[in-house]
Amino acid sequence: MSSVKREGASGLSKAALLVAGVLMFPILGWGESRQLPAKEVVVGKPYAQWEIRYPEAAGNPYDIEARASFTHEKSGATRKSLMFYAGEKSDDGPTWNFRFTGTRPGIWSIETTGPGNLGGWKGKIEVVASDESRRGFLTTEGRAWVWSGTGRAFVPQFVMMNRPSAFLDAGSVDSVKIGRVIEEFAIETGFTGFHFEGGGGKWFESGKSNTEESFKNPSHLTFEVLEAFIMRAYEAGAATHFWLYDSDGYGGKGGPKNLGGPRSAPAKRVLRQIAGRLGPIPGWSIGYGFDLHKWADPEELEWYKEYLAEHLGGWAHPIGARADPQDNLPGPDTINREPVSDVFWSGDYAGHYDKRVPYRHYVRTYEQFEKAAFQEDRFRIRESGQFQLKDYTPEMTVRGLWHSTMAGGVANIWGNLLPHSQNDRGSQPYDNGAKGTIRNVEFVVDIKGAIKTYHRFWFEKKRFSADLVRDNALAGGEPGAELLSSRHPTPISVALRGPDQKRFVFYTERT
């Protein structure tokens, strides 16, 4: 498949074109009618896109703000899509795009606001019901992670991905590689999501030096990769979670310091680009980064959430951040591991940072706040002397999937980074036969079938729901101070039941 296009072909007719599954609309400019052509889209199908010329634009085009407001004529529901700069065209001049995904059937009216030719356009778009159930946007309801279209709760089990640049081939989106990765990890293995690490320079056109000038404007290629990946993952039933930054704790190489600060012009441009380009696309969430306790504070995190949410204009995407680790905790092979991590700021979800989380700590993670919970460290299979007390064996990985679900539904990030010779930040397949040793425990990575069994049991069979209640007395009593250990694993026996006393799930180990 060719590269995902951000620019429409010149000389488009008034009729919309369907390109790579994206509904494109004609370029609109001065001297034409101020009425947008009426169009039709299917509910939950991303996305419709319009392009408008603004040849008189002055200054940095990424600093020009304009919006398209959508109003459902029957219910009054509204969405606002931020326009984003789509590039300079030799024949048409600078162009801005805006997007829309139908969230409910009916007629939606459209009105644009902004400087010059970007404002003053009006129109209508009809959203028709889908013949199939569309998952809709990723959101949270109480402690549950939920697909808004179906209303179904699930447990986001994200698998680590390479940075977006790894999905480029000769300057274009490598759709074949994206499809192959999603097939491997979502369809065949059964992960319910994908995770992209941050990296300040990867959002920008140039990242050769750590200066504000080199990180000036957003990179179209990075966004093209994320757009393509998010949509392909969504069609496969998986969510996408990405971090805005890496860490500013190591010389400012991956966080907002090299941009001039979190509220600098380059940092704001990227947040607006995320809102405009990705906001109307369903199926993703965002965290601020990692090691936040070393360089971010609650005030900064609150600003980032409010600024991004304002520019998202009502498109649902959970916004959060990772917790402060309890570095003074004993190792994970020690029973006394109280308390769990200190969540010093909480957005749409509560992000935690704990080592080798056993079942009872998943329960505490789940219950700590009246909102969705996320163990937002990366639980990796690898060999590292520095991290041997936090890294996972294959057996611990499978147990972690079940423990986090039996606790009520806590999100996680997983990765197989063996063998070292093939590791470029992204996870390797979970049946690649790679050998490893953690604290004298030898293992072979061959758990693809076990992960798929977990997925089939809970999600293909639609057994997981937000109303399940822990009732461990049914399984023989509360579990003891069990460990998630590479040397001395302690088995558990726990249960969930429906509030109607008609649905029961029992989970027991080594029985």
Side-chain angles (χ1 to χ4, degrees):
M1 182 179 289
S2 62
S3 169
V4 176
K5 301 299 183 182
R6 66 173 179 272
E7 298 178 347
S10 61
L12 289 174
S13 69
K14 293 288 184 179
L17 298 179
L18 188 62
V19 181
V22 176
L23 197 60
M24 305 292 291
F25 292 86
I27 299 172
L28 305 170
W30 290 106
E32 300 180 27
S33 170
R34 306 292 286 183
Q35 189 72 22
L36 298 169
K39 298 297 174 182
E40 179 181 285
V41 294
V42 176
V43 67
K45 186 77 172 179
Y47 50 79
Q49 176 169 292
W50 294 261
E51 298 183 349
I52 302 179
R53 290 179 295 166
Y54 182 23
E56 284 73 19
N60 190 320
Y62 292 97
D63 290 333
I64 293 176
E65 293 194 43
R67 290 173 173 79
S69 298
F70 300 84
T71 303
H72 190 257
E73 294 189 348
K74 185 175 181 179
S75 69
T78 61
R79 295 289 185 275
K80 292 183 180 180
S81 291
L82 192 69
M83 295 189 192
F84 59 92
Y85 176 59
E88 182 81 22
K89 298 184 177 180
S90 59
D91 53 347
D92 297 314
T95 302
W96 277 256
N97 293 355
F98 64 92
R99 294 170 171 170
F100 175 80
T101 293
T103 54
R104 66 176 67 191
I107 303 297
W108 294 70
S109 61
I110 311 169
E111 183 174 1
T112 71
T113 57
N117 193 47
L118 299 180
W121 292 91
K122 295 183 179 181
K124 294 183 184 296
I125 183 168
E126 182 178 3
V127 179
V128 298
S130 174
D131 292 334
E132 58 186 28
S133 177
R134 305 293 301 180
R135 279 175 295 280
F137 284 74
L138 174 62
T139 187
T140 61
E141 296 179 6
R143 293 188 173 100
W145 297 85
V146 176
W147 289 109
S148 65
T150 61
R152 291 203 64 85
F154 76 113
V155 184
Q157 305 288 8
F158 299 105
V159 62
M160 292 170 58
M161 288 291 99
N162 296 313
R163 288 180 172 177
S165 58
F167 294 93
L168 292 172
D169 182 16
S172 297
V173 175
D174 191 339
S175 297
V176 173
K177 183 174 183 179
I178 289 175
R180 186 169 62 246
V181 165
I182 291 175
E183 180 74 20
E184 170 68 35
F185 291 103
I187 304 301
E188 296 182 2
T189 309
F191 283 102
T192 55
F194 296 88
H195 173 253
F196 282 92
E197 186 179 327
K202 303 306 177 183
W203 291 106
F204 296 87
E205 290 177 346
S206 174
K208 296 181 180 180
S209 62
N210 295 324
T211 65
E212 182 176 348
E213 184 60 30
S214 69
F215 296 109
K216 186 176 182 180
N217 293 323
S219 165
H220 287 271
L221 287 175
T222 292
F223 280 93
E224 287 176 4
V225 168
L226 289 176
E227 290 164 355
F229 200 104
I230 291 169
M231 288 191 292
R232 291 284 291 275
Y234 174 80
E235 293 299 330
T240 303
H241 181 72
F242 53 88
W243 285 339
L244 180 62
Y245 297 118
D246 287 349
S247 172
D248 255 9
Y250 305 101
K253 296 182 179 180
K257 286 181 181 177
N258 54 7
L259 311 179
R263 296 173 175 84
S264 65
K268 288 180 178 179
R269 287 171 193 147
V270 165
L271 287 173
R272 291 196 299 267
Q273 197 81 346
I274 290 172
R277 293 190 72 135
L278 305 183
I281 302 177
W284 60 267
S285 56
I286 182 172
Y288 199 61
F290 66 85
D291 289 349
L292 302 183
H293 60 292
K294 296 183 179 181
W295 56 274
D297 56 44
E299 181 182 355
E300 178 179 332
L301 296 173
E302 192 67 31
W303 175 87
Y304 127 84
K305 181 181 185 298
E306 291 180 355
Y307 189 86
L308 181 55
E310 174 191 352
H311 289 84
L312 281 171
W315 299 110
H317 302 286
I319 304 171
R322 200 170 84 167
D324 181 1
Q326 293 289 312
D327 290 332
N328 61 340
L329 286 179
D333 286 348
T334 303
I335 292 177
N336 183 18
R337 298 177 63 219
E338 308 293 346
V340 293
S341 53
D342 177 20
V343 177
F344 64 104
W345 178 86
S346 184
D348 295 325
Y349 64 83
H352 291 252
Y353 179 18
D354 294 300
K355 301 175 183 178
R356 286 189 186 170
V357 186
Y359 170 79
R360 67 191 178 102
H361 281 82
Y362 272 122
V363 171
R364 295 189 63 205
T365 300
Y366 180 80
E367 291 184 337
Q368 188 169 0
F369 298 95
E370 288 285 347
K371 59 178 59 181
F374 193 166
Q375 280 290 348
E376 210 172 350
D377 192 12
R378 291 162 291 185
F379 297 147
R380 291 162 281 199
I381 299 172
R382 62 180 174 180
E383 290 186 303
S384 170
Q386 179 182 0
F387 299 114
Q388 65 174 331
L389 290 180
K390 64 177 288 186
D391 286 339
Y392 277 55
T393 65
E395 178 191 14
M396 291 159 60
T397 298
V398 175
R399 294 180 72 204
L401 292 168
W402 285 89
H403 287 200
S404 61
T405 305
M406 293 301 298
V410 179
N412 302 278
I413 303 172
W414 308 94
N416 170 30
L417 303 190
L418 292 178
H420 295 294
S421 60
Q422 298 181 28
N423 176 40
D424 50 358
R425 292 183 179 270
S427 182
Q428 299 298 316
Y430 278 78
D431 63 342
N432 63 354
K435 297 180 180 180
T437 303
I438 294 180
R439 305 198 72 191
N440 298 321
V441 175
E442 297 181 353
F443 59 83
V444 176
V445 183
D446 187 17
I447 55 172
K448 182 174 180 177
I451 298 173
K452 183 63 175 180
T453 296
Y454 160 83
H455 180 272
R456 184 178 297 114
F457 178 90
W458 284 111
F459 308 117
E460 290 185 21
K461 299 296 185 180
K462 298 181 179 180
R463 291 189 172 109
F464 185 80
S465 62
D467 62 352
L468 290 173
V469 179
R470 289 187 307 281
D471 192 346
N472 294 329
L474 296 172
E478 290 285 342
E482 90 289 345
L483 308 175
L484 196 66
S485 167
S486 59
R487 294 186 298 174
H488 307 294
T490 305
I492 66 171
S493 183
V494 293
L496 291 169
R497 62 169 174 81
D500 56 4
Q501 300 281 354
K502 294 182 179 179
R503 293 176 294 135
F504 300 88
V505 178
F506 294 89
Y507 172 79
T508 185
E509 299 174 336
R510 302 194 177 192
T511 184

